[in-house]
Amino acid sequence: MATGRPTKYKPEYAAQAEKLCRLGATDAQLADFFQVSISTINLWKVEHATFSESVKLPKEEADAKVEQSLYKRAMGYEHDEVDIRVIDGKVVETPIRKFYPPDTAAMIFWLKNRKKVEWRDRIEQSVTHSFESLTDEEIDARIQELKNEPPAEA
């Protein structure tokens, strides 16, 4: 029975991967951290359920936070903050309310990804003419017409 190389996987990798994924790490970054290929990371996710879960859940949480941030940026938001200044040698803290207006670029990005059909840039066109009903003579005549037309200017 032939055996392959022994795995580099160690059980403690699951906890390390979880921490990295909570910080937004991708599979490529995990592979770099563990000094393996991306295919090895994918293999570990298949072979080690603990590793798979430690990667999946934090990535979903990070993605959800980014989605919420993008949504807030697109819609505009406000929040409480404290302005800290030194005035006459004394630290003065002033509560303020910061307002961030809606961001057009964030709106476009959101809509292009969430409502692709309505917001995509390219326009789909379909050809409705069927050449199957034409005779060989009609096709030859059309080709000749196209050859005689002056080239279209750019």
Side-chain angles (χ1 to χ4, degrees), residues 90-145:
K90 294 181 181 178
V91 175
V92 178
E93 294 184 13
T94 308
I96 61 172
R97 186 101 177 133
K98 276 199 143 180
F99 174 73
Y100 297 88
D103 182 275
T104 306
M107 289 178 192
I108 292 168
F109 184 81
W110 180 273
L111 290 168
K112 282 185 178 182
N113 283 283
R114 299 270 299 222
K115 300 190 83 165
K116 292 176 181 158
V117 173
E118 295 93 339
W119 286 88
R120 66 178 165 211
D121 283 331
R122 72 186 170 138
I123 298 170
E124 301 262 337
Q125 295 180 347
S126 61
V127 177
T128 57
H129 192 289
S130 172
F131 291 99
E132 293 173 0
S133 62
L134 297 178
T135 66
D136 288 344
E137 293 80 21
E138 291 171 324
I139 293 173
D140 289 340
R142 183 63 185 133
I143 291 171
Q144 193 58 43
E145 287 173 25

Side-chain angles (χ1 to χ4, degrees), residues 3 20 35 42 54 65 67 73 78 80 82 84 91 97 101-102 106 114 116-117 122 124 127 134 140 148:
T3 59
L20 290 167
Q35 298 181 335
N42 291 330
S54 72
K65 286 179 184 177
E67 276 184 349
R73 192 72 182 115
E78 50 188 88
D80 293 326
V82 176
I84 302 172
V91 175
R97 186 101 177 133
R114 299 270 299 222
K116 292 176 181 158
V117 173
R122 72 186 170 138
E124 301 262 337
V127 177
L134 297 178
D140 289 340
N148 294 332

Side-chain angles (χ1 to χ4, degrees), residues 68-77 100-104 106-107:
Q68 279 301 314
S69 296
L70 177 63
Y71 178 78
K72 284 173 61 176
R73 192 72 182 115
M75 299 301 291
Y77 66 100
Y100 297 88
D103 182 275
T104 306
M107 289 178 192

Side-chain angles (χ1 to χ4, degrees), residues 38-55:
I38 295 175
S39 61
T40 298
I41 294 294
N42 291 330
L43 183 64
W44 289 353
K45 287 192 275 186
V46 171
E47 292 180 344
H48 306 281
T50 305
F51 184 82
S52 179
E53 286 301 311
S54 72
V55 170

